């Protein structure tokens, strides 16, 4: 029988299962190795943390360590490779960590303070476009004291720095295995995480086995995990129904979620867990494009997009309209785009264009990726095209590419308008604003707004009480509405579907919406 467990916040992931940690017994009474197979449509774009600011984090969380992380049930950064970390001054500009004793990488190298320094310095040295270097904008230098003390000296107060250290982009790598001059590209990983990457076949699978030398917070409830990568949602769901895989994360369409929830196919051996999501979808406009670079065109699109129709037709209740870049459930959330534009209105959109001297239908190409966010992406863009063209004000061409080539295209500024998704670096409003601004914007195009980057964001980063920064983020969102360089569309809910014999789904997602594979286990039977 299906069930739907609706979780109201990340902290609710702390609910414990009575069966957690129980192993399966063979007929002889001996414990059998637990291996879990997870299916997803979210394949890594890279195995090198220095280039990863996307869903590659899914794999990295499980094979690398970070200094800080989120033990299940926690929304506050806590030590992982570190024994402790803390600010050592009153201005939040000096952050010190002491490493756990006896850490080592999978190649046998010692994980010491110098390795930590090397790992983060390498990110800034390589400076991969569209990569995580933008997250380290407040970092001045890294100092080591002996083998186990690392001190991060910041250029300015940054209360979000502990959150940044939790991200898989800040994964610790063995200096002997990762060049400071180029990205690693041999399809292998040398880390110190809960699992070892035993083998990896791009587009097919990643084989994870328990790391016998792991020292960290993860309580591994299985012995090995196979992650199978699918190009489309239908095959991954079919594999679950056939019991070829045990669980699905990322890739379920709205129709499939509804079918699973309502048990339409009478498949009583499956279950689905829902959790509040902080993942968002939005359109990005290229300021150098003749049409998309015109603010009147962008404002007209903002006036026309019908988010209610979009989520109703395409996502069937598995998403909800989003009117700011900061989603519901995160401090500082507003409805700034609705406040500015109200309900969709063709007349107002026409006035915006006419006032700018635009009297003919605007020809525009919208791009999306075919294999990153699930099979609902194509219908979503069909609906956006329908909405814009039904106004008589636009003529839309849709184009798409697989993620790797799509990513290369938008980082080179090749697309007039394109769709992107964002999963938070950490559960804080800063994570939904800062990555899109500055010269290293994750959109691949510099977005300079000094009022935000030099005034408002620095104000918020002085405040360790993150609930006290809402006023500044409300101002930030008003500025983004006026510019319309980025147009938020919807906020998703997250689902883990699995066989009824699989436990841990309610604990498997951390506050960064990354799957902690070690929480999944096969329930014991007596």
């Amino acid at each position: 029988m299906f069930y739907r467990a609706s979780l109201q916040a990340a902290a609710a992931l702390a609910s414990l299962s009575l069966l957690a940690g129980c192993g399966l017994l063979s007929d002889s009474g001996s414990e059998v190795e637990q291996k879990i197979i997870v299916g997803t449509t979210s394949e890594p774009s890279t195995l090198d943390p220095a280039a990863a600011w996307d869903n590659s984090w899914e794999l990295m969380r499980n094979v690398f360590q970070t200094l800080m992380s989120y033990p299940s049930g926690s929304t506050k950064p806590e030590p992982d490779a570190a024994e402790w970390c803390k600010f050592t001054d009153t201005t939040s500009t000096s952050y010190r960590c002491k490493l756990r004793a006896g850490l080592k990488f999978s190649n046998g190298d010692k994980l010491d303070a110098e390795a930590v320094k090397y790992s983060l310095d390498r990110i800034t040295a390589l400076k991969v476009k569209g990569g995580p270097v933008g997250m380290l904008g407040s970092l001045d230098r890294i100092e080591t004291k002996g083998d186990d003390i690392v001190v991060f000296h910041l250029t300015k107060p940054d209360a979000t720095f502990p959150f940044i250290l939790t991200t898989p982009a800040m994964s610790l790598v063995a200096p002997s295995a990762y060049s400071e001059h180029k990205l690693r590209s041999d399809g292998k990983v040398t880390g110190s995480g809960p699992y070892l990457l035993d083998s990896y076949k791009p587009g097919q699978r990643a084989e994870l086995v328990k790391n016998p030398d792991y020292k960290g917070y993860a309580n591994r409830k299985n012995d090995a995990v196979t992650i199978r990568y699918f190009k489309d949602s239908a095959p991954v769901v079919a594999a679950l129904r056939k019991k070829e895989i045990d669980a699905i994360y990322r890739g379920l369409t709205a129709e499939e979620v509804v079918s699973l929830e309502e048990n339409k196919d009478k498949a009583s051996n499956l279950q689905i867990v829902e959790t509040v999501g902080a993942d968002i979808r939005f359109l990005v406009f290229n300021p150098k494009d003749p049409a998309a670079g015109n603010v009147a065109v962008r404002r007209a699109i903002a006036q026309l997009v019908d988010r209610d129709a979009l989520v109703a037709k395409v996502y069937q209740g598995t998403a909800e309209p989003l009117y700011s870049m900061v989603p519901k459930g995160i401090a500082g959330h507003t409805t700034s785009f609705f406040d500015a534009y109200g309900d969709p209105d063709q007349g107002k959109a026409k006035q915006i264009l006419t006032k700018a001297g635009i009297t003919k239908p605007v020809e525009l190409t919208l791009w999306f990726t075919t294999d990153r966010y699930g099979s609902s992406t194509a219908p979503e863009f069909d609906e956006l095209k329908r909405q814009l063209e039904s106004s008589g004000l636009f003529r839309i061409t849709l184009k798409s590419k697989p993620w790797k080539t799509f990513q290369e295209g938008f980082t080179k500024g090749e697309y007039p308008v394109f769709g992107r998704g964002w999963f938070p670096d950490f559960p804080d409003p800063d994570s939904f604003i800062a990555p899109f601004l500055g010269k290293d914007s994750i959109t691949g195009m510099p977005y300079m707004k000094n009022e935000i980057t030099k005034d408002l964001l620095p104000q918020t980063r002085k405040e360790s009480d993150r609930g006290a920064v809402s006023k500044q983020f409300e101002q930030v969102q008003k500025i983004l509405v006026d510019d319309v360089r980025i147009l938020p569309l919807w906020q998703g809910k997250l689902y883990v579907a699995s066989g009824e014999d699989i436990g841990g789904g309610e604990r498997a997602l951390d506050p960064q919406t990354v799957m902690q594979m070690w929480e999944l286990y096969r329930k014991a039977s007596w």
Side-chain angles (χ1 to χ4, degrees), residues 286-298 358 362-364 413-416:
N286 187 341
K288 294 184 178 180
D289 180 78
N294 189 326
V295 68
V297 171
R298 303 197 297 266
I358 301 173
V362 178
E363 296 188 3
L364 206 56
E414 294 178 355
Y415 309 146

Side-chain angles (χ1 to χ4, degrees), residues 17-36:
S17 169
L18 294 176
L19 294 172
C22 295
L24 290 173
L25 298 179
S26 67
D27 292 338
S28 64
S30 61
E31 191 167 309
V32 178
E33 179 185 63
Q34 283 219 26
K35 183 174 183 179
I36 305 295

Side-chain angles (χ1 to χ4, degrees), residues 432-497:
F432 294 91
I433 301 296
F436 304 99
L437 297 167
K439 61 182 179 179
D440 296 314
S441 167
I442 58 95
T443 64
M445 295 171 288
Y447 186 7
M448 312 308 292
K449 275 292 177 182
N450 289 342
E451 185 179 354
I452 298 176
T453 57
K454 292 187 177 182
D455 183 17
L456 293 171
L457 285 183
Q459 287 181 34
T460 68
R461 289 171 178 172
K462 293 177 182 177
E463 180 58 69
S464 58
D465 179 4
R466 304 308 290 161
V469 297
S470 296
K471 184 176 181 180
Q472 290 92 333
F473 280 106
E474 288 173 7
Q475 290 180 255
V476 167
Q477 291 168 83
K478 288 179 181 177
I479 295 169
L480 297 181
V481 166
D482 184 63
D483 215 15
V484 202
R485 282 277 300 275
I486 304 173
L487 182 65
L489 296 174
W490 56 267
Q491 172 180 354
K493 300 174 184 178
L494 299 176
Y495 298 88
V496 176

